[in-house]
Amino acid sequence: MNEPTLSIKEKNLLVQTCLLAGKILIENGSELNRVSDTIKRIAANAGVPNLRAYVTITGIMISIDDDDTVAKIAEIDQRDFDLRRIEVVNRLSRKFAAHQITLHRFYRMLQKNSVLWSLLSILATALGGSIAFWDDFSYLYPRLW
């Protein structure tokens, strides 16, 4: 069975999706071999079995080797351990494999997930800082409270 060929734009979107999924996985404590496997499965489910991925703890390099070579690199600059974010990527990857979501929607949902978690992290940090400040303030000035 012949897989439909992707346009350059679709190949770029596929590589960006794989990079973002891999970056989220690595930043949140996933094993590198699982990251590489997930990236290759996403590509295979998109009809691109010849995607090459080189995954390290500090970066991901991805290329599609065919007539129109597409290659991109992503640097990994954050580290955390959040199984919820890993589960979100895995769930979206499974939905994409089952053809329940398109590649474009998959990418948008990964972006949304990434931004949402960043905002929640900032909010939690601000809330924690204000609670710590208020606790210190009320200890130093008990009569004002």
Side-chain angles (χ1 to χ4, degrees):
M1 188 162 109
N2 231 353
E3 292 288 337
T5 58
L6 300 177
S7 69
I8 294 286
K9 188 176 179 180
E10 291 168 323
K11 288 177 186 176
N12 274 315
L13 180 61
L14 174 62
V15 170
Q16 289 175 330
T17 303
C18 289
L19 278 175
L20 184 55
K23 185 173 177 161
I24 292 169
L25 290 171
I26 293 173
E27 286 178 346
N28 291 284
S30 189
E31 296 174 351
L32 297 181
N33 59 341
R34 288 184 183 258
V35 174
S36 181
D37 183 59
T38 299
I39 288 170
K40 289 176 182 175
R41 285 177 189 263
I42 291 169
N45 289 322
V48 180
N50 59 341
L51 181 131
R52 305 279 185 259
Y54 181 70
V55 179
T56 70
I57 197 72
T58 58
I60 305 171
M61 293 166 263
I62 295 179
S63 69
I64 299 175
D65 298 324
D66 60 6
D67 296 338
D68 306 312
T69 300
V70 177
K72 293 196 184 291
I73 299 172
E75 182 179 11
I76 309 299
D77 52 4
Q78 296 180 24
R79 301 285 182 283
D80 200 0
F81 192 76
D82 191 343
L83 293 177
R84 291 173 296 185
R85 292 190 72 191
I86 292 172
E87 191 275 327
V88 167
V89 173
N90 289 336
R91 184 170 19 92
L92 291 173
S93 176
R94 285 187 206 101
K95 282 186 174 188
F96 180 67
H99 304 288
Q100 295 174 348
I101 58 174
T102 64
L103 182 61
H104 189 265
R105 182 153 173 78
F106 186 15
Y107 182 66
R108 281 195 344 237
M109 291 174 85
L110 285 174
Q111 282 182 315
K112 216 181 260 188
N113 178 48
S114 189
V115 169
L116 176 66
W117 284 106
S118 296
L119 290 174
L120 287 175
S121 175
I122 291 168
L123 181 64
T125 303
L127 181 63
S130 63
I131 289 171
F133 172 77
W134 184 253
D135 186 48
D136 290 345
F137 184 78
S138 63
Y139 178 76
L140 293 173
Y141 303 101
R143 292 187 182 159
L144 296 178
W145 177 244

